[in-house]
Structures are given as C-alpha cells and as structure tokens.
Amino acid sequence: MSNSVIINDVSLPFSSSVDCKSELEDFFEIIHRAYSDGVRFNQADDRHGNWNTLNYAEGFIFGEWINHIDKDISLIVKNVISKVHCPIIELEEDKREALRGMLFMLSSDRNLDVTSLGVASNIDSHAISFLSHNKWASNPISIVKQWEENEEWKEQLIDVPNISSLEHLKAYIAELENERQQNKNYLLDLVLQDNKDFPNLIFCNSALKNFKSSSVSVDDFHKIIEALAKLNKAILISNNIEDLKLNSELTISGESSATLKNVKYARQREFRHPTLGKILFEKHVKNFPNAKRMHILADFNNNKVSIGYFGIHLPTVKHPK
C-alpha cells in the first residue's frame, strides 16, 4: 500500500458547472486533510495541469468560484493550490514497460478509458476521484484490464480502491497508519544477522540506526523491505555484482573514481561491519523515493549481503554538500 494516490482524471469534467460547484468544496477538503496526514498526489500523465488549471466543467471559472465560496473553504483551496503538488508518477522501467501493453476500461462502461486507475492498481495505490457521477462514488471501482498474450487478448477484472468522500479518506488513513506502524515495528525488530526473513543479510549498526530515523517515510518502509527481500534471494544465485543486479532486478551502482579518491567522501561511505570492522560500502541500491540510497557490501563467496547505510544521497564530487 502506498501513501501516494493517483488522480482519476476521467472523473472530470463535471456534467455541469452547478454540479461542480456543489461538490468541489468537499474534494478540496479531502485533498487538504489527506495532505495533512502525509499523503502525496500524482497524475498518470501530463495532460491536465495544476489544481487551478484543470477542466472542471464547461463554463466553470475557477477564480470566480474561489471568490464566492466561504472564507474558510477558500483558504483551504488556496492552501492546496500553493502547497500540494501533483506531479507525474515516476514508475520503474519494468512497470512502465508492462503498462504499455495493457488497456484499462471501466467495467460498467467499456468505452471509457481509465488508464489512471490502471496505473493505481499496478502500483498498489488508491485512486482519488471527483464526485462528478455516481460511478465515482463507489469504493472500490471495478475496472477491466486487457492485454495480449500469445496472439490472444486476455482480460482480468480488478477492483481499484477509491477515495471520493471523507468516509473513504478516513478508512484509507486508518489503514495507512496501521501499515506504517507495522512496517516501522518490523524494521525496529531487525538484528545484526540471522533474521528469520533475511538469513542471507548482515546489518551494520549504522543501518539499523538509519531505519529508526524519523526521516524514513511510509514509502521508504515498503521499498526497504522489498529491496531487502530481493537482495536476500538474489545473493544465493549470484557470482558477481552484475548477477546481483540482474537477479534482484534492483538498480545498483558504484561510486565514481573521483568521489572515491576524495578522502572525505570515501570515509562517508565507510561503516563498521559486525565482523570485518570499518570497511568501504561503495555499491548502493537506488530504488527508493526522493533519491535515497542503501549502501551494500556483497560477499559472493559466502552468499551474504551486508547493509551499511540507508538514507539521503551521500555527497559526491559532482554533487557536494
């Protein structure tokens, strides 16, 4: 489950400016409350622009609407416009490639393309919809996924979790908070080695401390656990770093020679290993939000991966701090 929700673009426009005006206040209150609880927002494509430039309804003028609504609601809307960003979703290459070969349509109206809902389903995210029609009031929303396999079209019915009311939002936030706590507890329970779920991983105290940091977000928790599971499995069938990249399906890179020749930067990548002492953790996994990194040390003789660090991108010669 992700704390990033996808805007259901086809829930716009409203059929009339009257309907739009009666529902839009509630939508912005949902956005405002969700943002306050750490929820992020994304679009599936770049056709729709910012909150104040969306096509809400024919004849609807956003600026005039703000000037005529209740003052408190107007402040909420202006706060959303200035603070709540809704960029294009960044997908890993394998997910982007898979989505290119898929079609998504509303199960109750197969003429309606619902790619944004398909994206949400593909990344285990919720959709958030404008209540412009009763079909967007349900939670979940039923869609059909179609794809071609062996020169034959196949399809699957999928239920996409949806938010279009404060009740939906409250249920989502409660579920999100529960998962946040579970993931946090899971990482806090990790020890240096011989962890039940990760017998092939060794954790430095520095990494265990990083996992306890308040800067670790709910999206980080999910990605950390996913990366650890992939490394734990891939090291058993890998003989070198290229094998590890291929078998784990993770993006793993090393540092530039210029960065490693810089004594200060090299030392920042040294962490105290439980048995090896202080050692350089040059290789790092990149599959995390906000350009965070996990620095690792792979032992292909003993089939072990050691985790030395998780956090913000460490300084380099090219990007000093």
Side-chain angles (χ1 to χ4, degrees):
M1 182 178 177
S2 173
N3 74 329
S4 174
V5 298
I6 305 295
I7 299 295
N8 175 17
D9 52 13
V10 293
S11 61
L12 282 181
F14 285 84
S15 58
S16 72
S17 60
V18 174
D19 291 341
C20 178
K21 291 174 183 178
S22 68
E23 298 290 347
L24 207 52
E25 290 183 12
D26 289 343
F27 179 83
F28 275 99
E29 186 174 357
I30 290 171
I31 297 294
H32 178 71
R33 290 197 186 187
Y35 178 73
S36 299
D37 281 305
V39 176
R40 295 186 293 108
F41 305 88
N42 288 105
Q43 300 180 56
D45 59 47
D46 59 357
R47 291 179 298 171
H48 304 284
N50 299 320
W51 300 113
N52 56 337
T53 61
L54 294 174
N55 177 26
Y56 289 99
E58 186 176 351
F60 177 81
I61 302 174
F62 192 84
E64 288 185 1
W65 172 72
I66 291 181
N67 292 331
H68 289 87
I69 58 178
D70 178 84
K71 182 179 179 181
D72 290 338
I73 296 296
S74 177
L75 289 174
I76 286 175
V77 175
K78 291 175 181 178
N79 184 270
V80 169
I81 292 172
S82 63
K83 293 184 178 180
V84 183
H85 301 292
C86 190
I88 306 303
I89 186 72
E90 293 184 9
L91 299 174
E92 296 175 11
E93 181 56 36
D94 60 332
K95 291 188 181 295
R96 282 203 306 271
E97 189 61 34
L99 285 166
R100 288 190 188 105
M102 297 177 186
L103 299 174
F104 300 96
M105 59 204 76
L106 196 66
S107 63
S108 60
D109 181 0
R110 293 200 173 203
N111 292 317
L112 195 58
D113 180 357
V114 290
T115 298
S116 57
L117 298 184
V119 171
S121 70
N122 192 260
I123 61 173
D124 192 26
S125 180
H126 280 55
I128 186 164
S129 302
F130 293 88
L131 198 52
S132 57
H133 190 280
N134 288 337
K135 59 192 171 190
W136 310 126
S138 63
N139 178 28
I141 295 175
S142 180
I143 68 172
V144 176
K145 177 177 78 172
Q146 289 187 341
W147 70 100
E148 190 174 10
E149 186 176 310
N150 299 324
E151 299 184 350
E152 179 183 355
W153 279 96
K154 297 189 176 183
E155 66 177 47
Q156 177 185 4
L157 196 65
I158 300 174
D159 284 338
V160 182
N162 178 53
I163 300 168
S164 62
S165 69
L166 286 174
E167 288 70 26
H168 293 162
L169 177 64
K170 289 175 184 176
Y172 167 65
I173 294 298
E175 187 179 355
L176 193 62
E177 286 298 332
N178 181 58
E179 184 168 327
R180 282 172 176 162
Q181 194 58 51
Q182 286 182 353
N183 287 340
K184 183 176 181 179
N185 291 341
Y186 185 87
L187 292 178
L188 292 178
D189 287 340
L190 291 175
V191 294
L192 295 176
Q193 43 192 322
D194 299 323
N195 291 281
K196 179 182 177 182
D197 291 340
F198 309 120
N200 308 311
L201 303 184
I202 298 172
F203 295 90
C204 299
N205 277 315
S206 52
L208 296 179
K209 183 178 179 180
N210 296 149
F211 293 155
K212 297 176 184 178
S213 171
S214 59
S215 65
V216 176
S217 71
V218 63
D219 275 358
D220 290 331
F221 287 134
H222 173 73
K223 291 293 186 179
I224 288 170
I225 294 168
E226 181 180 43
L228 294 177
K230 288 182 175 182
L231 290 170
N232 181 72
K233 182 178 179 181
I235 191 61
L236 294 176
I237 54 174
S238 301
N239 296 312
N240 51 54
I241 194 65
E242 294 303 321
D243 285 350
L244 189 64
K245 291 180 189 179
L246 180 64
N247 296 325
S248 68
E249 298 181 338
L250 293 170
T251 303
I252 303 174
S253 297
E255 301 292 359
S256 69
S257 57
T259 293
L260 293 179
K261 287 177 182 178
N262 184 296
V263 175
K264 181 179 72 172
Y265 295 156
R267 284 177 178 170
Q268 290 175 334
R269 289 154 174 79
E270 292 179 356
F271 304 101
R272 189 166 296 281
H273 191 279
T275 59
L276 302 176
K278 204 164 190 180
I279 191 167
L280 178 69
F281 283 71
E282 177 205 354
K283 297 293 190 282
H284 48 275
V285 180
K286 296 182 175 181
N287 305 76
F288 304 101
N290 301 314
K292 291 181 180 178
R293 300 290 189 261
M294 177 183 288
H295 281 255
I296 65 172
L297 180 67
D299 179 352
F300 298 104
N301 293 322
N302 297 305
N303 301 116
K304 297 287 184 182
V305 176
S306 299
I307 315 298
Y309 168 86
F310 176 80
I312 60 172
H313 194 311
L314 295 172
T316 64
V317 169
K318 191 174 181 180
H319 298 288
K321 293 182 181 179

